[in-house]
Amino acid sequence: MTTVESAGRGTLRRPGSSFKPLSGRRKAVNSVAQGAVTLAVVIALIPLAWLLITLVWNGIEPILDPDWWFRSERYGGAANAIVGTLIQTLLATIISVPLGIMVAIYLVEYSDGTSFLARATTFMVDILSGVPSIVAAMFVYAVWRTTLGLPRMGFLVAVALVLLMMPLVVRSTEEMLKIVPQDLREASYALGVPKWKTIVRIVLPTALSGIVTGVMLAVARVMGESAPVLILVGATRAMNWNPFAGNQESLPLMMVQQYGQGPSAFDKVWGAALTLVLLVAIVYVGAKVVSKVFAPKKS
């Protein structure tokens, strides 16, 4: 079998062959490709930077006021909308993350992909991944409001968000579990560790960072959804900490309401949008810190 050795500058050559540097044509093609990739990155960053600058420029003034964070809309702030958004998203996360992770564990660790249950689960996850938020909201409305006669409340919004969030959690967790080396599982089995304990103590901690990233992407996606809050919960300018009773405001709902009041209220619309982005960023950073703390230590 022919071996390959390393020759200067990281170039590979066969034994006995003379080193041939890159030709001028290959250097030119490499430079063009590198320049094209760099240009593509810059072009992709331009709208993102433009969006952030516009958002900060228009929304920084309202959020610098302490009343914005500590007073409800009734007194000129947005505390009730912030609390409603966090409560609804927290409920959706508590429900969807354990379910999504367990579904992903079944698909990767226990299913061979050919059983009826595995194929049906994969099919339903794919279908839910493409369901618009308005469809999920109408489904919850038909079941909980029309059929069961339950009143409008923040918990119904969380249920609709679960339908949107769980497919993202399942897919991201499934991909992270697949890239965990099989050698780790086999080494654990060789030591007599049960499969369930191998998953809990070896597989999940190894994939924890990627799982947390996927969960945060799902949280960021559902936190700004406006269709469920418009259909399933009523607006209120007062503070409501109970998602199971009464109307409950949220930042997307507040933005829609303030936008309908005309240009004079646009500063609050921008302030609510910037607040929403800041909340997502804070949650994401906190989750990454937690994932690093509980991730397996590297030597």
Side-chain angles (χ1 to χ4, degrees):
M1 182 176 62
T2 304
T3 59
V4 179
E5 294 181 352
S6 174
R9 299 183 181 179
T11 304
L12 300 178
R13 65 179 179 89
R14 298 180 184 277
S17 63
S18 60
F19 172 72
K20 295 181 180 180
L22 291 176
S23 63
R25 178 178 177 275
R26 294 174 65 185
K27 286 183 178 180
V29 172
N30 181 73
S31 299
V32 171
Q34 185 176 358
V37 172
T38 304
L39 179 62
V41 173
V42 172
I43 293 175
L45 289 177
I46 288 175
L48 177 61
W50 192 355
L51 171 64
L52 292 178
I53 292 172
T54 303
L55 189 60
V56 174
W57 180 267
N58 293 279
I60 192 65
E61 184 177 354
I63 70 173
L64 292 179
D65 186 357
D67 291 342
W68 176 267
W69 300 93
F70 300 106
R71 292 183 178 272
S72 63
E73 282 187 81
R74 180 177 295 176
Y75 303 101
N80 59 325
I82 296 172
V83 168
T85 298
L86 294 177
I87 290 177
Q88 294 165 13
T89 306
L90 179 62
L91 287 174
T93 304
I94 291 175
I95 298 172
S96 60
V97 170
L99 290 176
I101 292 178
M102 285 189 287
V103 170
I105 291 174
Y106 166 76
L107 293 176
V108 176
E109 303 293 336
Y110 290 96
S111 170
D112 57 1
T114 60
S115 64
F116 173 78
L117 180 59
R119 288 186 283 109
T121 302
T122 302
F123 176 76
M124 294 307 299
V125 170
D126 292 338
I127 293 297
L128 285 176
S129 299
V131 170
S133 58
I134 185 68
V135 175
M138 291 301 297
F139 169 75
V140 176
Y141 182 89
V143 173
W144 294 81
R145 287 277 294 155
T146 306
T147 304
L148 301 179
L150 296 176
R152 302 175 75 183
M153 53 183 171
F155 177 71
L156 298 185
V157 177
V159 173
L161 296 182
V162 168
L163 298 178
L164 303 174
M165 186 176 180
M166 191 163 62
L168 302 178
V169 176
V170 172
R171 281 304 178 205
S172 60
T173 304
E174 186 179 0
E175 295 303 320
M176 291 302 104
L177 294 179
K178 286 180 179 179
I179 65 176
V180 174
Q182 186 65 24
D183 294 344
L184 294 178
R185 298 178 176 88
E186 293 176 353
S188 179
Y189 300 153
L191 294 174
V193 180
K195 187 169 186 175
W196 70 268
K197 187 174 290 187
T198 299
I199 296 173
V200 173
R201 301 295 297 272
I202 304 297
V203 178
L204 287 179
T206 304
L208 182 61
S209 180
I211 294 174
V212 169
T213 300
V215 170
M216 288 303 101
L217 291 176
V219 170
R221 191 239 167 158
V222 303
M223 189 175 284
E225 288 290 348
S226 58
V229 296
L230 290 173
I231 295 175
L232 299 172
V233 67
T236 176
R237 298 173 65 87
M239 182 71 71
N240 180 13
W241 291 86
N242 187 0
F244 299 97
N247 298 328
Q248 189 175 49
E249 189 80 334
S250 66
L251 287 171
L253 186 57
M254 176 184 175
M255 292 168 64
V256 173
Q257 289 180 314
Q258 296 295 336
Y259 183 83
Q261 295 182 10
S264 60
F266 280 4
D267 57 337
K268 292 186 177 181
V269 176
W270 285 107
L274 182 57
T275 303
L276 193 60
V277 172
L278 291 176
L279 291 179
V280 172
I282 292 172
V283 172
Y284 180 80
V285 172
K288 294 298 288 185
V289 172
V290 172
S291 67
K292 288 184 177 181
V293 171
F294 290 97
K297 300 299 184 291
K298 297 180 181 180
S299 59

